[in-house]
Amino acid sequence: MSRNIAAGMVLLLAGPVLRGQVMPADSLWEMDMPDVVVTATRSERLLQQATVPALLIPARTIRMSGGLRLHEILQEQTGLFLTSGTGSSAVGGGVFGNGIQIQGFAPDYTLVLLDGEPLTGRQGGVLDLSRLTVGNIRKIEVIKGPSSALYGSEAMGGVVNILTEQRRGTHASGGLRYGSFRTADAYGSVNVDRGKSTLYLFGNYLRSDGYDLVPDTPERTIDPHRNGTAQVKWTWRFSDRTRLVWNNRLYRGRQEAAFVLGTDETRVEGQSVTSDYNIQPVLTHRINDRLKTSLRTYGSYYRYEQDLYRTDSGSTYYRDDFQHLFTRIENQTDWDWNEKHQLVAGGGYNGHTVETSRYRTRKNQHLGYVFVQNEWRPTARWMVIPGLRYDWHGDFANRLSPKLSMQYRPNPQWHYRFSYGSGFKAPDFRQLYLHYANPAAQGYRIYGAAEFSIRELEEMEAAGEVARILPEAWQIGQLRPEVSHGFNGGVGFTHSATGITTDFNLFWNEVTDMIQYLPVAILANNALVFSYRNVASAFTGGAEVNVRGTAGRLVEWAAGYQYLMTGDRDVVAAIGDGNVYGRSRPGGSARRMTMSDYSGLLGRSPHMAQVRVQVLEEKAGWGGSVRAVYRSRWGVVDLDGNGFANMEEEYARGFVLLNLSVMKTFARTVTAQVSVNNLTDHRDAVNVPHMPGRHVMLGFHWNFLH
C-alpha cells in the first residue's frame, strides 16, 4: 500500500492549481468581496444570479462568530442540520464526527470540497467537519439539492465547498484563543508577494481536554484530543494569461480513548491517529478573451489508525488501520461562445485505493467522467442552464445525470428561479467490501454486498456458528446506485427603499434504490449478521425562507426558516393500507397508525430557524454578533418496530442554541474577542454530543504586516 501511495504522490508532484484571486489585507474590519460563487455552475457568477439554491458564508461572518472549526459555522445556517456520530472511541467504532444534513439528506449524500476538490476519510459514511479549521477560510459556498450533473456521486443532497485564502500583497497575522475545557487554539499566516510569485503559509494547532456530559459513566462524551493543520499555497504567474497555483494541506490529529466493557468492567484504553495529506496543482491558461482552460490534478492520502488494549492484561482489544489514496486529473474549458451562450465542458479520471483491516484485501475503484453545461441567455431577463454528466464506473452500471435550471428577472427587484437535477450516490467501499466482526456487542458481523456469500453462511450453519439463516439472505445481490430527482422553485425580492432581501424556495426530492443494511442471519449466541441491499424509496421536501437587511450603517441582520417533511414510501403505503401498528408508550397496548402519527425519516427535524445580528463600528474598532438557532424535536429511535418515531420516548427534544461574540480592535493591529457558545447551556449527551454545554473563549488576533 505504501509503495502505491508514494508512486501516486510522485505522479501528482510531476503534474501541473487553483486560480489566484485578489484578497484584501487580513483584518476583521475589511469589507467582504462581492458575493461571487463558483460552486453552483463551475464558473464565477454573482450570488443573485445563481439559478439553484445557494448559500454564501463570507470570511467576515466566520471571523465575527469566533468559531474554531467548520461544523460550528455550518450549524448556524438555515436548512443545515448538524448530525453527530459517537465522540467516544468505544467498541472499536472510531470517531464518526460531525456531518451536515441538507434538505433532509444524511451526511453520506453531501459532497464536501476543499478548494473545489473532494475531501476523503469518511467514517460510517460521515466526513467529520470538525477536522477543518476556519482560520484560513476565505468563504464557504453551499449548494442545496442534487448536484451530480456537475460533481458526480455523493452530491445527491448538495455540495459544501470550502475556499481557502488567496491574496496579493505582503502581510502576516496570527492569533491565540483559550477557553472552556482547556481548549487552546493557535494560528498564524504569512503572505509574501513578489511580482509573478505569491506564497501563502498557514498553520493551526488545537488541543482540548474534551468533556463529559454524563459524569456517572466511565466514558467521556468527547475524549481529549489535539490536532494540527498546515497549508502552503504558491502562485506563479507565467504571464497575464497563464497561472499555476500549487496548494498543499496537511492535517494530523490524535484522540485518546478510555471506556469500560459491559458488566465485567474491564477497562479499555488507547488512542487513534488521523492523517490527511492533500496536494492540488491547477494550471489555468486563458487562450483568448473568450476561451479559458484549466488542468486540475489532485492527490489525497487519508489514514486512520486506532489501537485499543485491555488495561488488566495489556492484550490488544481492537486494532484498525484504514488507508485511502484518492487521485484525480481533470480538465475544464470555459468558452464564451457569444453574448448569449457560455459553454463549460470537461472530463476527468478518479482513482481510489483502500486498504483496511475491515476488508479482506486491498480494494481499487476507477471512474471516468465527462460533463457539459451551456449557459443560455435568450433575452436580458432570462437565463437557462442545461447540463449533463456521464460517469463510467468499474463496479456498477454507468450513469447519466441531467440537470436544468433557469432564472427569470423581470426587473432589478424580482427574480424567479427553477431547477431540476438528477442525483446519484454510488455504493461506497463500506457497502461493497466490509468484512467486519465487532469484538464487543456479542460479536455482530457486517458483510458488504460484494463480500457476502450464502455458501459461507451455510458452512457456518453446518458448523454450528449460525443458528438460522433469514430469508433476506437470498435477496442480497449486486448493489445499484441510489438515484434522486430533485426540484427547486423559488422567488426573490429586494425592497428598493429599505434594501431588505427576501428569498423563498420550495424543494422536493424523490429517492429510489436506497441502500440499507438488514439482518441476514442469527449467530449461535443470538448476535446478528448484516449485509446491504437496495430496499427502499423515500422523499424529502419542504420550504425555506431567508430574509436579510441592514439597520443604519452599523447593523446587519439575517433570519431564516425551513420546514422539512420526509418519508419512506413503503411505510407510507403500509399506513395507507392499515397495516402499521404502534404504541402510545413503551409497554402500552398496540393501535393502528394513521398518517397523523407518521413523523417521517429518523434524524430529521421538521422545523429549523436561525437569526443573526452583526454590529460593526469600524471607526471605534468594536463589533459583535448574536446568533440564535432553533431545532424542533426529531425522531432518533424506533422502539415499537413500525419504522418511525411515534412515542415521546423515541424523540430527541428540540432546543435553542444561542451564541454571541464581542470584539474590540486597538490601533488597527490587535483585536481582542470574547465568544460564548451555547449560552443557555443546553446538553444532550446522546443526541447532540457535539454541544458541550456553555463554552467560553477569549482570543487575540494580531496583524503584524498589513
Side-chain angles (χ1 to χ4, degrees):
M1 178 71 176
S2 59
R3 184 177 301 172
N4 284 353
I5 292 168
M9 292 300 181
V10 168
L11 288 173
L12 286 163
L13 288 168
V17 172
L18 189 98
R19 278 171 290 195
Q21 298 197 16
V22 176
M23 287 293 295
D26 188 349
S27 170
L28 288 169
W29 312 109
E30 293 287 349
M31 295 298 293
D32 290 311
M33 299 295 285
D35 291 345
V36 175
V37 295
V38 297
T39 313
T41 59
R42 279 184 174 260
S43 59
E44 293 183 351
R45 70 177 56 258
L46 293 174
L47 178 63
Q48 62 184 9
Q49 295 178 344
T51 54
V52 295
L55 167 68
L56 175 64
I57 310 171
R60 185 172 59 179
T61 297
I62 297 172
R63 293 172 182 172
M64 290 186 69
S65 73
L68 300 178
R69 315 306 281 181
L70 179 62
H71 71 278
E72 299 176 53
I73 306 302
L74 293 181
Q75 72 177 347
E76 296 181 351
Q77 312 306 315
T78 305
L80 303 187
F81 185 77
L82 193 69
T83 64
S84 298
T86 177
S88 171
S89 301
V91 200
V95 179
F96 290 175
N98 305 301
I100 204 70
Q101 184 188 108
I102 301 178
Q103 289 191 352
F105 282 97
D108 312 43
Y109 304 90
T110 299
L111 180 63
V112 181
L113 306 174
L114 183 67
D115 288 322
E117 298 293 349
L119 286 168
T120 57
R122 292 179 181 266
Q123 295 281 346
V126 176
L127 183 73
D128 184 13
L129 301 176
S130 61
R131 279 166 42 196
L132 296 162
T133 179
V134 301
N136 60 337
I137 294 179
R138 174 166 54 95
K139 62 180 176 179
I140 304 168
E141 298 177 1
V142 181
I143 306 304
K144 301 177 181 180
S147 302
S148 293
L150 289 176
Y151 296 100
S153 181
E154 293 181 9
M156 197 157 83
V159 179
V160 176
N161 192 6
I162 304 115
L163 299 168
T164 61
E165 293 280 18
Q166 183 66 51
R167 57 179 71 192
R168 298 297 299 269
T170 298
H171 37 78
S173 65
L176 293 170
R177 290 181 280 191
Y178 186 82
S180 305
F181 318 112
R182 295 182 64 189
T183 300
D185 182 76
Y187 60 94
S189 66
V190 177
N191 198 86
V192 181
D193 190 55
R194 292 291 184 270
K196 290 187 174 184
S197 176
T198 301
L199 179 65
Y200 174 76
L201 306 174
F202 172 82
N204 170 258
Y205 175 76
L206 172 72
R207 69 160 308 278
S208 174
D209 283 352
Y211 52 86
D212 192 0
L213 299 179
V214 189
D216 57 346
T217 61
E219 298 88 5
R220 296 177 66 82
T221 306
I222 294 294
D223 294 312
H225 56 275
R226 56 190 184 275
N227 57 64
T229 302
Q231 182 187 19
V232 179
K233 184 180 288 189
W234 175 63
T235 301
W236 178 260
R237 302 167 190 87
F238 295 94
S239 67
D240 292 339
R241 294 183 178 273
T242 306
R243 172 179 298 172
L244 170 69
V245 180
W246 194 296
N247 194 6
N248 306 271
R249 173 181 173 271
L250 164 65
Y251 169 87
R252 190 169 177 86
R254 186 182 300 270
Q255 181 169 355
E256 306 301 323
F259 56 93
V260 172
L261 289 177
T263 57
D264 62 0
E265 297 189 355
T266 300
R267 187 171 178 83
V268 174
E269 294 182 355
Q271 66 178 9
S272 60
V273 177
T274 302
S275 304
D276 186 10
Y277 307 94
N278 309 122
I279 299 176
Q280 183 188 359
V282 177
L283 181 67
T284 302
H285 177 63
R286 182 171 289 279
I287 301 171
N288 54 49
D289 292 341
R290 292 184 175 273
L291 191 61
K292 179 181 67 177
T293 187
S294 298
L295 177 64
R296 306 176 65 95
T297 56
Y298 178 65
S300 175
Y301 171 59
Y302 174 87
R303 186 172 187 177
Y304 176 79
E305 303 169 86
Q306 185 180 54
D307 288 284
L308 304 174
Y309 61 91
R310 300 174 185 263
T311 58
D312 56 351
S313 63
S315 61
T316 298
Y317 168 71
Y318 180 78
R319 172 168 172 76
D320 189 14
D321 186 357
F322 179 89
Q323 300 181 61
H324 184 186
L325 174 65
F326 173 77
T327 57
R328 163 183 284 182
I329 184 168
E330 178 185 280
N331 174 258
Q332 176 179 318
T333 300
D334 300 1
W335 181 23
D336 293 334
W337 188 358
N338 54 40
E339 293 182 356
K340 292 188 176 183
H341 293 275
Q342 182 187 52
L343 193 69
V344 175
Y349 161 82
N350 294 343
H352 296 265
T353 299
V354 171
E355 186 171 6
T356 174
S357 54
R358 300 189 180 196
Y359 303 162
R360 286 177 170 173
T361 61
R362 179 190 305 160
K363 302 299 180 182
N364 298 282
Q365 283 187 354
H366 304 279
L367 171 69
Y369 60 92
V370 294
F371 59 87
V372 62
Q373 172 186 273
N374 180 38
E375 180 183 305
W376 175 38
R377 295 176 179 266
T379 70
R381 297 179 178 180
W382 278 95
M383 181 189 301
V384 182
I385 306 180
L388 285 172
R389 174 173 167 132
Y390 192 80
D391 288 87
W392 293 272
H393 199 289
D395 293 328
F396 58 86
N398 301 335
R399 178 69 193 170
L400 178 67
S401 301
K403 77 159 212 172
L404 175 66
S405 62
M406 59 186 68
Q407 185 186 96
Y408 173 62
R409 187 176 289 274
N411 54 57
Q413 286 75 44
W414 288 90
H415 70 267
Y416 302 89
R417 182 179 62 237
F418 169 80
S419 64
Y420 159 77
S422 174
F424 81 98
K425 179 180 178 298
D428 58 33
F429 280 93
R430 168 180 51 111
Q431 295 162 340
L432 289 171
Y433 305 124
L434 192 63
H435 188 271
Y436 176 66
N438 197 313
Q442 294 184 305
Y444 73 83
R445 303 186 183 193
I446 305 180
Y447 298 121
E451 296 293 328
F452 178 80
S453 168
I454 280 286
R455 180 178 178 181
E456 183 176 334
L457 279 185
E458 291 175 337
E459 291 174 352
M460 293 173 65
E461 185 179 36
E465 299 177 49
V466 168
R468 182 160 61 98
I469 300 176
L470 302 177
E472 289 78 6
W474 279 270
Q475 300 174 10
I476 303 300
Q478 184 175 7
L479 293 178
R480 301 180 299 276
E482 301 170 83
V483 178
S484 72
H485 298 278
F487 301 86
N488 287 270
V491 57
F493 173 70
T494 301
H495 193 273
S496 57
T498 64
I500 296 176
T501 298
T502 302
D503 191 82
F504 178 77
N505 186 64
L506 294 171
F507 60 90
W508 189 265
N509 300 288
E510 289 282 346
V511 187
T512 58
D513 285 333
M514 291 186 69
I515 299 173
Q516 296 182 354
Y517 70 90
L518 69 166
V520 293
I522 302 174
L523 296 173
N525 63 355
N526 290 323
L528 293 174
V529 179
F530 298 90
S531 190
Y532 294 89
R533 184 165 68 92
N534 298 94
V535 296
S537 60
F539 62 87
T540 75
E544 181 179 310
V545 60
N546 288 280
V547 185
R548 60 188 175 94
T550 60
R553 67 179 184 85
L554 302 181
V555 180
E556 298 178 1
W557 59 269
Y561 167 78
Q562 178 184 274
Y563 170 70
L564 176 69
M565 53 184 175
T566 65
D568 183 314
R569 287 292 182 194
D570 294 336
V571 174
V572 170
I575 292 175
D577 294 337
N579 296 327
V580 178
Y581 291 82
R583 305 178 189 276
S584 299
R585 57 182 176 82
S589 58
R591 63 180 180 87
R592 181 179 285 114
M593 296 283 99
T594 67
M595 283 305 300
S596 63
D597 298 306
Y598 187 55
S599 58
L601 302 177
L602 296 177
R604 276 75 173 177
S605 185
H607 303 283
M608 294 181 283
Q610 65 89 18
V611 177
R612 181 178 69 253
V613 179
Q614 293 182 173
V615 181
L616 187 63
E617 173 51 88
E618 185 174 359
K619 292 183 179 180
W622 65 270
S625 67
V626 179
R627 294 95 59 204
V629 179
Y630 168 70
R631 302 284 185 258
S632 66
R633 70 174 190 169
W634 66 95
V636 294
V637 67
D638 171 26
L639 297 176
D640 52 4
N642 56 18
F644 59 94
N646 56 275
M647 297 185 290
E648 190 66 31
E649 292 79 4
E650 297 175 323
Y651 287 92
R653 60 192 175 100
F655 63 89
V656 174
L657 177 65
L658 184 61
N659 301 331
L660 61 89
S661 66
V662 179
M663 62 186 68
K664 170 65 177 176
T665 294
F666 305 93
R668 295 189 64 85
T669 58
V670 179
T671 299
Q673 184 177 42
V674 177
S675 60
V676 183
N677 285 347
N678 194 6
L679 186 64
T680 59
D681 200 28
H682 176 78
R683 304 185 186 197
D684 186 343
V686 175
N687 302 302
V688 283
H690 62 273
M691 289 173 51
R694 189 177 297 111
H695 192 189
V696 182
M697 294 290 293
L698 170 64
F700 294 91
H701 177 88
W702 291 269
N703 284 327
F704 302 109
L705 299 171
H706 59 90

